């Protein structure tokens, strides 16, 4: 059984993919619920949601064209505690190809490196997952604060479009 269900459907703007649900998120039953995690604040600050959502509201991200999933679905913990046996690269690829978002975003380098099979840098990647572009962004986890750079998140917002202060979506095209 998955720790948290995927938040996916076809045609999304962006699907965020983490390594695995953190222990606090698993205990609460909501994505990105760790005390130091910036995910929800950053989504709002860069304009991907018209207001700052709470972790327990994760299911309504679909209303904004945003999905959520993880490389590891059946275990929780910090990236450095997860064993390769719990990685499900083929399952993740299948879920992402079925959802076919405009862009797949890895929230942190570790999941991207495992999925792509190579070292990565932040930003847009040369690979695609099906028809989806691939971005790698600095992790919003409090444990990764030393690597934080919001500029890459702003580049993603420009790539997919954003909401204005009145809650209206503006496309980059």
């Amino acid at each position: 059984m998955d720790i948290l269900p995927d938040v996916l459907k076809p045609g999304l703007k962006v699907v965020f993919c983490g390594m695995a649900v953190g222990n606090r998120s698993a205990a609460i039953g909501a994505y990105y619920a760790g005390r130091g995690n910036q995910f929800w604040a950053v989504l709002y600050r860069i304009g991907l949601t018209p207001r700052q959502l709470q972790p327990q509201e994760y299911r309504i991200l679909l209303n904004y064209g945003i999905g959520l999933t993880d490389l590891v679905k059946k275990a929780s913990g910090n990236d450095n505690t997860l064993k390769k046996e719990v990685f499900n690269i083929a399952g993740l690829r299948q879920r992402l190809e079925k959802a076919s978002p405009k862009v797949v975003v890895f929230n942190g380098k570790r999941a991207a490196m495992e999925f792509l099979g190579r070292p990565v840098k932040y930003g847009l990647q040369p690979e695609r997952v099906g028809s989806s572009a691939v971005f790698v962004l600095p992790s919003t986890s409090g444990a990764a604060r030393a690597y934080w750079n919001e500029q890459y998140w702003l580049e993603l917002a420009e790539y997919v479009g954003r909401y204005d202060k009145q809650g209206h979506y503006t496309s980059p095209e």
Side-chain angles (χ1 to χ4, degrees), residues 115-132:
F115 184 82
L116 297 172
R118 64 170 179 82
V120 297
K121 294 185 178 181
Y122 296 128
L124 185 63
Q125 304 299 302
E127 293 92 342
R128 295 185 83 76
V129 177
S131 63
S132 306

Side-chain angles (χ1 to χ4, degrees), residues 17-20 70-72 78-93 96 104 106-121 125 127 129 134-136:
C17 180
M19 185 68 177
D70 290 296
L71 176 63
V72 176
N78 292 341
D79 288 4
N80 62 352
T81 66
L82 298 166
K83 307 274 188 250
K84 284 196 181 258
E85 304 86 66
V86 298
F87 299 174
N88 187 354
I89 294 168
L92 176 59
R93 181 174 299 282
L96 292 172
V104 171
F106 287 96
N107 186 356
K109 283 185 175 180
R110 173 92 191 276
M113 289 189 299
E114 297 295 343
F115 184 82
L116 297 172
R118 64 170 179 82
V120 297
K121 294 185 178 181
Q125 304 299 302
E127 293 92 342
V129 177
V134 177
F135 263 78
V136 177

